[in-house]
Amino acid sequence: MLSEDDLIRYARQVIIPNFNEEGQEKLLGTKCLIIGAGGLGCPVALYASAAGFGYIEIYDDDNIDLTNLNRQIAHKNNTIGYNKAENLVKECLKINPNIIIKSNKKKFDRSCDISNFDLIFDCSDNPEAKYTINFLSHLSKKTLISGSAVQMEGQMAVWKSGLNKDYPCYECIFPKTIEIAPITNCREAGIIGPITGLIGSMQVNEGIKEMALENYDSRAGYLFLYDGLAQSLDKIKLTKNKKCPVCSR
């Protein structure tokens, strides 16, 4: 049951039809994992905290540097050199001190246990991490919401292959290959800050709907592509790979 403080803090959410107090209670009972505390992780964590996800854990072993500040909005000039996950936790608690939020300064890998989480946000910026997150999410039957952004483009998708065998997983659509892949990280290709803000906001929006809304028609099985130059958003229906090494077993 929501406290008086909760009713005031989340007043603009609980008045939304199909969300109500029950939806807020579900969010407060949700445990979510955020992998990456950079360009995507910052808006995801800030908005998830503000919305009232009750338990949040953030993974990132990287430290803040000056080149991060054009997009990693939770980090400031005076926090350069600090661990990203630790600093992001501090900023989130300034917004909402009533939630439980923790940092983990280690690299996310297959040894990480995600079984206690309800929702996974993939805010990583490298393929190796994304394949690992996808594998563990499928294996543990978790809802995974992934985002990526580079230059003036971004994409977002909800993956639920572990919960529904008809849905594709990340590796169905982006299979591993021995060919040299195009540069997809902002460190080498560049990035405009508002792109990460938009994609991160979309990730949290889907997370709220997945966790809090009754009779919600999930957007799993679609890929959303945003082009900041053309100011366009496309939705593509995805097809499951029947021979996918992760989710076809």
Side-chain angles (χ1 to χ4, degrees):
M1 185 174 180
L2 298 181
S3 68
E4 189 65 28
D5 182 76
D6 290 334
L7 289 171
I8 297 172
R9 178 179 291 275
Y10 307 116
R12 298 301 184 268
Q13 295 177 182
V14 299
I15 62 174
I16 298 173
N18 200 34
F19 188 92
N20 306 314
E21 292 183 28
E22 291 79 8
Q24 189 61 57
E25 289 173 353
K26 290 177 182 177
L27 281 192
L28 288 169
T30 296
K31 294 182 177 180
C32 71
L33 174 63
I34 301 172
I35 300 141
L40 293 172
C42 283
V44 166
L46 293 171
Y47 273 116
S49 298
F53 283 84
Y55 180 94
I56 300 171
E57 191 166 328
I58 305 172
Y59 267 79
D60 203 313
D61 64 342
D62 197 14
N63 293 332
I64 303 162
D65 66 52
L66 185 59
T67 64
N68 301 147
L69 302 188
N70 80 311
R71 64 199 181 281
Q72 300 182 17
I73 56 174
H75 308 316
K76 307 296 188 293
N77 210 60
N78 64 351
T79 59
I80 289 173
Y82 288 70
N83 174 261
K84 291 181 180 179
E86 283 189 338
N87 185 65
L88 183 51
V89 165
K90 292 178 182 178
E91 294 301 313
C92 289
L93 286 172
K94 292 177 184 178
I95 295 174
N96 191 347
N98 296 336
I99 61 172
I100 298 172
I101 181 166
K102 299 179 179 180
S103 63
N104 196 315
K105 297 193 294 183
K106 67 170 286 186
K107 180 180 180 181
F108 188 86
D109 56 32
R110 288 200 180 195
S111 69
C112 297
D113 182 9
I114 68 169
S115 59
N116 291 326
F117 295 96
D118 305 299
L119 179 64
I120 316 298
F121 287 111
D122 171 16
C123 301
S124 64
D125 64 355
N126 68 86
E128 179 186 357
K130 290 188 177 297
Y131 288 124
T132 298
I133 297 164
N134 176 69
F135 173 79
L136 292 177
S137 297
H138 173 78
L139 194 67
S140 299
K141 298 180 171 59
K142 304 298 179 182
T143 297
L144 167 64
I145 303 179
S146 68
S148 63
V150 66
Q151 296 182 349
M152 297 190 73
E153 299 177 350
Q155 60 186 37
M156 188 278 302
V158 179
W159 312 99
K160 299 174 71 171
S161 58
L163 296 166
N164 187 324
K165 64 180 181 180
D166 295 326
Y167 285 136
C169 75
Y170 178 85
E171 196 162 331
C172 282
I173 309 306
F174 303 102
K176 292 181 180 179
T177 176
I178 59 172
E179 298 177 3
I180 299 176
I183 295 173
T184 56
N185 67 75
C186 55
R187 188 176 297 104
E188 298 176 64
I191 182 68
I192 298 297
I195 304 297
T196 59
L198 175 63
I199 300 300
S201 297
M202 291 172 64
Q203 287 179 265
V204 179
N205 187 58
E206 291 308 309
I208 291 171
K209 292 188 288 184
E210 289 284 344
M211 294 295 108
L213 297 191
E214 291 286 349
N215 303 316
Y216 169 61
D217 184 16
S218 177
R219 295 299 179 265
Y222 292 92
L223 179 66
F224 293 85
L225 301 171
Y226 175 71
D227 184 333
L229 192 61
Q231 199 65 283
S232 63
L233 181 65
D234 297 313
K235 182 175 74 171
I236 300 173
K237 177 69 173 175
L238 303 176
T239 302
K240 186 179 182 70
N241 177 7
K242 301 296 185 181
K243 296 182 179 179
C244 175
V246 174
C247 68
S248 65
R249 299 172 184 176

